[in-house]
Every structure is written in C-alpha cells, then in structure tokens.
Amino acid sequence: MLDYRHSPAAIRALVRDDAVHRDVYINSELFDLEMERLWRAAWTYVGHDSQVPNAGDFYTVNIAGQPLLMLRGSDGVVRVLLNRCAHKGAKILGAGSGNCGKLLRCSYHGWTYSLDGSLRTVPVKSGYAGTRFAASEAAAGLTAVANVAVYRGFVFARLKPSGPGFEEYFGGALSSIDNLADRSPVGRLEVAGAALRYMHNSNWKMFVENLNDTMHPMVAHESSAGTARELWQEQPPDAPRPMVIEQFLPFVSNYDFFDKMGVKVYDHGHSYTGVNFSIHSSYSAIPEYAAQMEAAYGAERAQSILGESRHNTVYYPSLTVKGAIQTIRVVRPIAVDRTLIESFTLRLVGAPAALLERSATYNRVVNAPTSVVGHDDLYCYRAIQEGLASNGNEWVSLQRNYSDQEKEGGSLGVHNGTSEISMRGQFRAWAAAMAPSGTGA
Amino acid sequence: MMQAAGDDEALIAFVYHEARLIDEKRFDEWYDLYADDCRYWMPLMRGQPQSAEHTSLFDEDKLLLKIRIERLRNPKSYSQAHPSWCQHILQAPRMESRDTQAGTVVLRTPFMYLEYQQDQQEIYAGVAWHHLRLGGEKILIALKKVELLNCEAALPSLQLFP
C-alpha cells in the first residue's frame, strides 16, 4: 500500500508538467492531505462582511474540516474563531447564521464568551480554585484564527499560522474582486439573500478546473444553451431577447470565441478567463446604471470598470468570482468524491434593481441544483469520478497548448483562452503545497 | 364539463392530472396546462417574497419551461443518459381561496416527490400552491408555487418537476 503521507516523492510524481495522475481525484488519503497541507495553508474564503453587518452577527462555516465562525465584535471588527467551546469542545454556535447578542454562551455548561472570544464567565467558578485552570487552554477562551484579511468585504482566513501573506498569496488576481466591488457606484457589495447550495458527487478540483475550462461549453452545454438557441431561432429576428436567452446563448459560442477570450494566469493557482471579452460582454445596457457609474467615477474610469467583462476568476482553491454578473461560487470539499458548491448573489450597493435581477436570474439558471446548465456540468464531473477507476491509463491529460517554457516561470501572464495552462498552474500550486521542496523523499 | 363554474371536484382533479402528466412525461400536454404568462416557482427560502431580486430554485416562465422540456428530449442531454423518472404522491388538494369576480382559485396540496435516476432515489416533500385561472375554454395554471421542505438544503441535481 502506497503511503502518500510519508512520501513527498510519491506525491511529486503525481504531477507531471502536462498531466496528472488519477489519484489526485480519487485517493482519499490524498484528500485528507489536501485539507491539511493545501487548504489550511491557503488563504480560503470564509464569507462576506455584509453577512454580519451588526455586532453579534455571526455566520458559521466548515473549511478543511474546521468548524469556524465569522463574528462581528462590539468593536466592529470581523473575527474568525474556531467554533469550539474552550471547555469540552461543543460547537459554540449551532445555527448557520444569526445574532448571538452581547455574548456567546455554550449550550452545555453555560460558559460565556465576549464577542472577541475571550472567556467571560464560568458557572460556580470557585470549583476551579487551586487548579491549573487559569494557565490552561480552557481559560484562553475561543481560539481566534490569527491570519484573517478583509478585502473589499471579502473575508479570507489562513488557518495555518505560518505561510505567505494575503497580498503575496493572491497578488494581481485581487483585481477581479476590485472590479466586482467597483461596479457598485459606492464601491460596496452585499450578499443578497440565501445561497444556492448544490451538492456535487465529485472531487472539488473538477469544479475548480472547469471554471477556466473553455473547451467544454459548446459540447457539454449544447443540451441546455443549445436547446435555448434552437428555440430562439424560431422567433422573428427582431423579437426582443428575454434576459435568460441573452444569458444562455453565449454558452454555445464557438471555439474561436473562447480562444480569443484569453486567460490570465497568476502564481499560487489563481487565474481568470475573459481577459479581452467574455460570455457576459453583450448583455443589454442599463442606461440608468451607466449614468450612475459615470457620475460616481467620471466617464473614463467608469468605462474602464464596465469595460472589463471577466468570465471566471479562480481564487485557488476555495473561491470563484464572476464580476461581470455579480455572483460568486464557494468551494467546500467534504470528501474525495463529495463537494458542496454554494453560489451567492451579490447586490451592487446603490445600483438599480435591474442589476440584482440579472444576477439573481443568472445564478438560478446556471448555478442552482435545479439548473440545466449545472446538470450538464455535474454529469461530466461524475463521469470523470467513475471513469478514473479504469486501469490501463492512469493519467489525465492537461497538454493543450503546453510549452516547456512554462517551467521557467513562463506560465504567468496572458495566454490563448482555450489553453489548459490555468489547470497546470493549479497543479503546480498543488504540488508545492502537498510536497514542498526540501521535504525529501 | 362546465369548468368555468369552478366546480371544486374538477379543480381538484386538475391538480392530480397535472402531477400525473409530469410523472408520465407527457410534457406537451403538461405545458399546455400553463397560461402564456405563467410562473413555475420554487423559492429558495421559507417565506420568500415573489420578487425578481431574490434567486430561486425554479422561477420559470413559459419559455424556460419549454427549454427544459426540449432539453430533456435532446439526445445530447448527457445528464439524461440514464433517464430520470419521478413520482408525485399528493395529499388531497384543498381549495384555499376563490375570487369569483376575477375567476381565479388557489388550491393547496401537500406532496411527496420522488426522483429516481440510475440506482439513486431522492425523496422530497413540500406544499404545492396552484393558482388557477378559470373562465376561459380551459383551466390554466397562472402560478404553481412549490414550497420544498428542504429548500435551503444542499441538494443534488434535481432534473424534473416537483
């Protein structure tokens, strides 16, 4: 039995320059190691600060097996705490979100904590007189995650104490979050309503890779977007295009379209497609909004903000952003073949309601567990999950537009849109985290 | 049959019939039950107001219903390589309200809905609200609102129509 945990060389051998071994998708030991070595060392997305607008507001999540809570303190600061009572370990907040008032109180023995996590009261504290209590972990209260960054409202945490800083980790990829937030005339976003929650019976990496895979839409989505196109062709040419048709049709654009879209690759596995234009470029104008943006930013800057039409930005490994339509998809791996995808709709604060309507429609039509587009994609991920059991060919090809120059840092920057270079970049980051150089054989 | 009179029994039979057409995949007949300005709506949250500003699981107009139906028949719908089948189990529909002047009625129907595909069977439950328009040549569905019991849960692919 191969033991990946104690064999960095075996892990390194899974990632070739232009292919990966099937075990990265189907081996559960590797999944556990991914949570430890990749996810907990990465800056992962926790939530948006608009989900906790007031003191005592909380939002609970599980990231890489860690129960966490995002909590707004009485000082207005958003913290990320381990959701675990310092006494016997019960989750301190059971609900998904809400307001806990002025303090957190454990449901079991009633220990209470201030909103910054510090221990406030313990019933009949005299029982601890003469014990080591005061110097112990229990007295330290709820453990706060030390490395938290709030960027334009997006709350990220790095669970491992050491590692790259936030800006260093994401680098230029943060420009997609900037562009998304800048689309609000006042530069602010709010999560609008509940998330669409779609359980995928497939490995998390298939979803993440697919976000910058531009060779699949015209094939996989021919059934959904292609059907929409066929039905629409029966309409007179001057018929007004409904919003859903406007959103569906670009999915079945041709290879040339997706190739010319371009892909931009950053270090640490991040990338975005739609450098030059994207499937979101030809939506109908909303004149009232354009005027608002000009008033807020000036004509030139407004044009440069709205001129960006990025397709998907991958904030490896936990978040994908669609700035041009104001939706984000959050990746929560659960097991080697189980991944929860949560899709949030964002409101551009100060923008006309028509923008939110467009985002809410897109999110439903494309990202819901009831979405025909989603059914197309998940079918393919599941087909891979099952197909990879095949012996005889243990390699997954990532060779499209590969060049040896990539090895010498030539992978960064802009490339043709249908290249698989973004996936190769993800696996370079994967290998670096899973089997750091200098960790021996 | 004088459907315009809105005879309760005929309306209740209509609700059963609607579910049966889905279960038997008689989608053309099913599609014709819907008014041109219909909505097939499944909210994402309990008590969600009907507003375009909140996303939903379904919020289909007639065009989207048509796209779904045609997609199910498209040979390139690979997610239907193993076809999905469903079964509605309805509790007796009850007349909730009636507006004689407008010629509209609302029926409430608690249900269980099973969707099956390739060795896998999912069980859903909820309450369906049929807003029916009477007075024309036939009964039409103006709005079917499906309140799923686990609307906010993480769901697998749900491919047919609860």
Side-chain angles (χ1 to χ4, degrees), chain A residues 198-199 223 360 364 369-370 376, chain B residues 55-57 68 71 155 157:
Chain A
Y198 195 173
M199 189 61 80
S223 86
R364 180 186 88 246
T370 41
D376 290 337
Chain B
T55 201
S56 300
L57 290 163
R68 282 183 185 272
R71 177 185 175 273
L155 301 177
S157 287

Side-chain angles (χ1 to χ4, degrees), chain B residues 17-79:
Chain B
H17 183 61
E18 194 251 347
R20 177 177 175 167
L21 291 180
I22 300 171
D23 295 346
E24 295 180 355
K25 295 193 175 178
R26 290 155 65 185
F27 290 127
D28 292 327
E29 290 170 71
W30 178 66
Y31 179 76
D32 285 339
L33 300 182
Y34 282 80
D36 286 343
D37 59 345
C38 72
R39 219 72 186 177
Y40 178 98
W41 181 39
M42 190 191 289
L44 179 60
M45 289 198 306
R46 248 159 271 281
Q48 182 181 324
Q50 193 170 10
S51 152
E53 293 177 36
H54 196 293
T55 201
S56 300
L57 290 163
F58 281 88
D59 192 7
E60 318 296 278
D61 59 11
K62 221 173 173 187
L63 173 66
L64 273 169
L65 286 182
K66 186 79 176 164
I67 291 171
R68 282 183 185 272
I69 291 169
E70 293 305 323
R71 177 185 175 273
L72 288 171
R73 294 169 174 158
N74 188 326
K76 287 175 179 156
S77 291
Y78 301 109
S79 79

